[in-house]
Amino acid sequence: MIPIFEPEFTGKERQYLLECINTGWISSQGRFIVEFEAAYAQHTGMAFGIATSNCTTALHLSLLAMGIGAGDEVICPDLTFIAPANMIAMTGATPVLVDVEPSGWGIDPDRLEARITPRTKAIIVVHAFGHAANMGPIMEIARRHGLKVIEDVAEAPDAEWIDPATGIGQRVGTFGDAACYSFFANKIMTSGEGGIILCHDTDLARELRVLRDHGMSPERRYVHDVIGTNYRMTNLQAAMALAQLERLNETHQRRLHQAELYRQALSRCDKVTFRPVASWCKPVHWLTTITLSNPKLRTPLGNYLRHNGVEFRPMIFPVHEAKPYRSHNNPDDFPVSRDISHRSLHLPSAVGLSEQDIARICDLVVAWVEKHDS
């Protein structure tokens, strides 16, 4: 079976992990946490890095540190993994869903402003599947309404939004008030589990650290000034993440080559669309995503691939279809999210895939689609 994803550890992961074990620094203190926080912030051009147990807790911490709570509304895209909506709800605030735009699959700026009310306090922008959201108009709307912006960069570290007026790119995760990253096993770089929040604001960084560490005062240990959490990363995870970060630029180049191989091999079939890239985006490559002309073909194609030794993953379902959010949303408000979701699936995307593997996968896809899409 060719897996949908498989991590690769060819750097200093083993060396750094053994150092943690040999020194006994395996929990939430140690040199690798401090070094990784500083290194990732520097890599992205941000002032502060606050390592967390995962990206979901990073989102929750960011909302809490910004004072989001009961009675507030926070906007997020409908086509996303459910974590942003759930973390908004966990604060007591109301998630307000917005459809995505078809060219980049990020939150649609043209639909965004209509969803803003006097109760709206923030926007969570998800950079989906390696592609930047359209940050220029999103940030203009946020500034005009005085809204906080949290960027979810779990799937697109180092992607760029290109300013159409100047042609100059800016890295995602550097636009908003806070940016949240994931290092889950299927992400571009991984520590098994883990996340980080990046920000520029000194006060926000301090608040994030306090809330992450049980609400404990940085000046007086075991004195708790506020109600906090334990959303800390371990030194073991930070050791792996630092080793992965040291090879991230190389990983990006290999993954972009993989995407191009897939794109070329699938281009011979006009009934399969490779994941689109907007003119205002310099993407990275996370999962290989294809969209079929007929939603009824997605599951049968996936079953055929699995039967032939190729793992697949269906596209995530829109958030509005999840049981906790159905009664609050009209499905007709999300035509693009529904269309993309129901017609798309992901193909194997491990960085170690051989060219022969990719050719075989694409041959299976094209042959089956040509036979059944009529």
Side-chain angles (χ1 to χ4, degrees):
M1 180 70 71
I2 300 176
I4 188 72
F5 209 96
E6 200 169 38
E8 182 180 80
F9 305 119
T10 57
K12 295 183 178 180
E13 292 89 352
R14 185 183 299 272
Q15 174 187 331
Y16 290 169
L17 283 171
L18 284 173
E19 180 180 327
C20 295
I21 294 168
N22 291 336
T23 61
W25 291 99
I26 63 171
S27 193
S28 57
Q29 296 181 39
R31 81 169 180 97
F32 288 111
I33 294 172
V34 176
E35 290 184 19
F36 175 63
E37 287 179 332
Y40 206 90
Q42 182 180 32
H43 172 82
T44 312
M46 299 291 278
F48 302 104
I50 300 91
T52 62
S53 53
N54 53 60
C55 188
T56 303
T57 57
L59 290 166
H60 194 208
L61 271 181
S62 299
L63 292 162
L64 293 174
M66 293 176 187
I68 305 297
D72 296 333
E73 293 178 350
V74 178
I75 292 173
C76 74
D78 182 51
L79 188 65
T80 179
F81 184 65
I82 203 167
N86 282 349
M87 291 306 97
I88 295 166
M90 287 284 285
T91 68
T94 300
V96 176
L97 304 176
V98 175
D99 202 7
V100 299
E101 42 81 28
S103 62
W105 298 359
I107 195 166
D108 190 341
D110 291 337
R111 296 173 181 260
L112 173 60
E113 196 155 19
R115 301 291 277 161
I116 296 173
T117 75
R119 296 171 57 193
T120 307
K121 296 296 187 294
I123 305 168
I124 294 181
V125 178
V126 179
H127 302 289
F129 310 105
H131 197 287
N134 197 356
M135 293 308 294
I138 291 171
M139 292 304 299
E140 192 277 327
I141 292 169
R143 282 191 290 265
R144 186 151 30 88
H145 290 272
L147 303 178
K148 298 289 187 181
V149 174
I150 299 170
E151 295 180 72
D152 181 334
V153 200
E155 300 168 358
D158 298 343
E160 294 182 8
W161 178 78
I162 309 297
D163 186 335
T166 65
I168 298 173
Q170 180 175 340
R171 186 171 291 182
V172 301
T174 65
F175 289 85
D177 298 276
C180 302
Y181 294 76
S182 171
F183 309 119
F184 185 62
N186 68 359
K187 296 301 186 289
I188 291 174
M189 58 172 278
T190 181
S191 54
E193 279 280 11
I196 197 169
I197 306 168
L198 302 183
C199 68
H200 275 307
D201 187 86
T202 304
D203 293 336
L204 178 60
R206 184 185 188 281
E207 185 71 7
L208 287 164
R209 293 186 188 280
V210 168
L211 290 172
R212 178 190 63 174
D213 194 10
H214 301 282
M216 188 186 303
S217 168
E219 291 78 25
R220 298 180 296 166
R221 288 190 61 78
Y222 306 110
V223 173
H224 301 268
D225 298 323
V226 296
I227 296 172
T229 67
N230 178 5
Y231 285 166
R232 298 173 298 193
M233 176 183 273
T234 69
N235 202 43
L236 290 164
Q237 292 169 317
M240 289 185 64
L242 183 62
Q244 293 266 293
L245 177 61
E246 291 170 352
R247 298 175 45 251
L248 183 56
N249 290 335
E250 174 198 343
T251 300
H252 279 314
Q253 291 306 311
R254 292 173 62 196
R255 297 193 62 76
L256 288 171
H257 177 64
Q258 177 189 105
E260 185 57 29
L261 290 174
Y262 263 118
R263 190 182 299 275
Q264 290 175 4
L266 293 169
S267 64
R268 66 185 190 270
C269 179
D270 59 6
K271 298 171 183 178
V272 175
T273 303
F274 196 78
R275 194 249 186 277
V277 176
S279 60
W280 38 260
C281 176
K282 181 181 178 182
V284 294
H285 176 53
W286 178 46
L287 282 180
T288 300
T289 308
I290 61 172
T291 303
L292 306 171
S293 60
N294 185 341
K296 294 181 180 180
L297 299 178
R298 185 180 72 170
T299 300
L301 171 59
N303 292 337
Y304 172 77
L305 291 172
R306 184 180 289 116
H307 179 75
N308 283 274
V310 176
E311 188 178 6
F312 85 104
R313 180 183 298 172
M315 170 63 81
I316 50 175
F317 293 103
V319 175
H320 79 266
E321 293 184 0
K323 188 174 180 179
Y325 305 111
R326 285 179 201 162
S327 62
H328 307 294
N329 292 282
N330 181 351
D332 292 338
D333 290 337
F334 311 101
V336 180
S337 294
R338 293 169 62 199
D339 181 59
I340 293 170
S341 172
H342 298 168
R343 293 194 295 119
S344 302
L345 58 82
H346 306 297
L347 301 176
S349 303
V351 71
L353 277 180
S354 69
E355 294 191 10
Q356 291 75 19
D357 287 335
I358 294 172
R360 175 170 173 261
I361 294 164
C362 293
D363 286 345
L364 287 169
V365 169
V366 171
W368 190 92
V369 171
E370 293 284 6
K371 182 177 179 180
H372 293 86
D373 186 1
S374 57

